[in-house]
Amino acid sequence: MSTRSTVRSTGLAAGLGALAAQSAYAAAQRRLGSDRRWERINHRGRSLTLLEGPAYTVGAAAAVALTPGLPAPARAAGTIAILGAGAIGAYDDLGGLRTQQAKGFAGHFAALREGRLTSGAVKAGGIGLTSLAAAALVSARPRDALLGGAVVAGYANLANLFDLRPGRALKFGLLHAPLVAAGGPSGALLAGPLGAAAGLLPPDLREEAMLGDAGANALGAALGTAVLLRHSTRGRLVHLAGLAALTAASERISFTRVIAATPPLRWFDELGRVPHPTAT
């Protein structure tokens, strides 16, 4: 495929992602906008909707399924990873196992040792299985499939850790735009999900909506699948080590405090937000 054709196809995929996500969001608001199960109060006491998450999942998956020139295994892997992570995230958004909660991986594992099943454990197991299924489609050996599944699941979890302030998780995803510019199957797969992220960024920045587990997990799964298409064993190991380190750090360190204390990160984090008075 020529450079011009590649640019055209990735641009089309990004546009498809943005249009599909915005259309899904508008449809979800018309149908479910009055359903209080999708309402949340954010860190400043403002009421917003989680419907952005399912809309992102649908838009990103549709764009991957329709991206021209994407190899069939990559198309299937991306679609499975995004839909699987988004569906399991939506289960958690809607309550999951309300009576069996825990904090962090350590809390979930401690609960399992005590014989208690938590929503986090269900989500980790479900996303782990769909991530492994997606990785198997784009891996030459079982070892690479196992590593790939862990990378996709790790990205899904990491993206969710950033969904604490308006626009933050979506910006984390959009920082991977150089992968799209680099071309190849990895860039082609990621163009649609990043287009969906850009399309839903305005209501997120206006504190009208947020990704929630459904959208953040789906975004991370898309990023992880793109990584698999660019790397085999060594690259997947490097990414997995980085994901493990960041996840472990999140158990002890507040990413929000680190961002607030680092001027360049704070500037990027606040970029585009619409100021609102804190609700009471």
Side-chain angles (χ1 to χ4, degrees):
M1 185 180 291
S2 67
T3 301
R4 182 175 296 178
S5 297
T6 300
V7 171
R8 187 183 301 117
S9 64
T10 54
L12 177 60
L16 280 171
L19 179 61
Q22 290 172 340
S23 299
Y25 180 57
Q29 284 188 306
R30 287 194 300 270
R31 189 174 183 85
L32 299 170
S34 60
D35 190 336
R36 297 183 64 85
R37 293 179 302 170
W38 294 99
E39 291 182 12
R40 290 295 182 276
I41 303 299
N42 72 359
H43 69 291
R44 294 201 301 132
R46 295 185 59 83
S47 177
L48 42 70
T49 179
L50 291 176
L51 291 173
E52 179 186 327
Y56 174 83
T57 301
V58 170
V64 169
L66 297 173
T67 296
L70 190 62
R75 189 187 309 277
T79 305
I80 289 171
I82 292 168
L83 289 178
I88 296 164
Y91 152 81
D92 205 30
D93 283 335
L94 290 176
L97 300 173
R98 291 183 180 275
T99 59
Q100 301 289 340
Q101 299 298 325
K103 291 291 186 179
F105 279 108
H108 295 306
F109 284 125
L112 284 175
R113 286 196 299 268
E114 297 170 1
R116 294 187 294 113
L117 185 63
T118 66
S119 294
V122 171
K123 190 170 75 167
I127 291 178
L129 288 174
T130 58
S131 297
L132 181 60
L137 293 171
V138 291
S139 301
R141 294 171 293 183
R143 176 182 64 184
D144 289 338
L146 289 172
L147 286 172
V151 168
V152 174
Y155 262 103
N157 177 67
L158 181 62
N160 199 25
L161 294 177
F162 284 103
D163 192 36
L164 296 175
R165 294 294 185 271
R168 182 180 295 174
L170 292 171
K171 289 177 183 178
F172 167 72
L174 291 170
L175 284 175
H176 293 74
L179 284 177
V180 177
S186 177
L189 182 142
L190 197 54
L194 293 192
L200 292 174
L201 187 59
D204 203 303
L205 289 172
R206 291 195 297 264
E207 296 187 41
E208 298 170 357
M210 65 181 292
L211 284 174
D213 285 8
N217 288 156
L219 172 60
L223 297 174
T225 307
V227 166
L228 302 192
L229 298 179
R230 189 168 293 275
H231 299 283
S232 56
T233 306
R234 180 175 296 180
R236 294 180 186 192
L237 276 171
V238 171
H239 277 83
L240 184 57
L243 290 166
L246 286 171
T247 302
S250 72
E251 300 278 338
R252 298 178 175 274
I253 302 171
S254 166
F255 286 177
T256 295
R257 289 183 180 180
V258 172
I259 291 170
T262 310
L265 295 179
R266 183 173 66 248
W267 171 83
F268 182 69
D269 189 48
E270 296 175 352
L271 182 65
R273 289 182 188 162
V274 177
H276 293 289
T278 301
T280 56

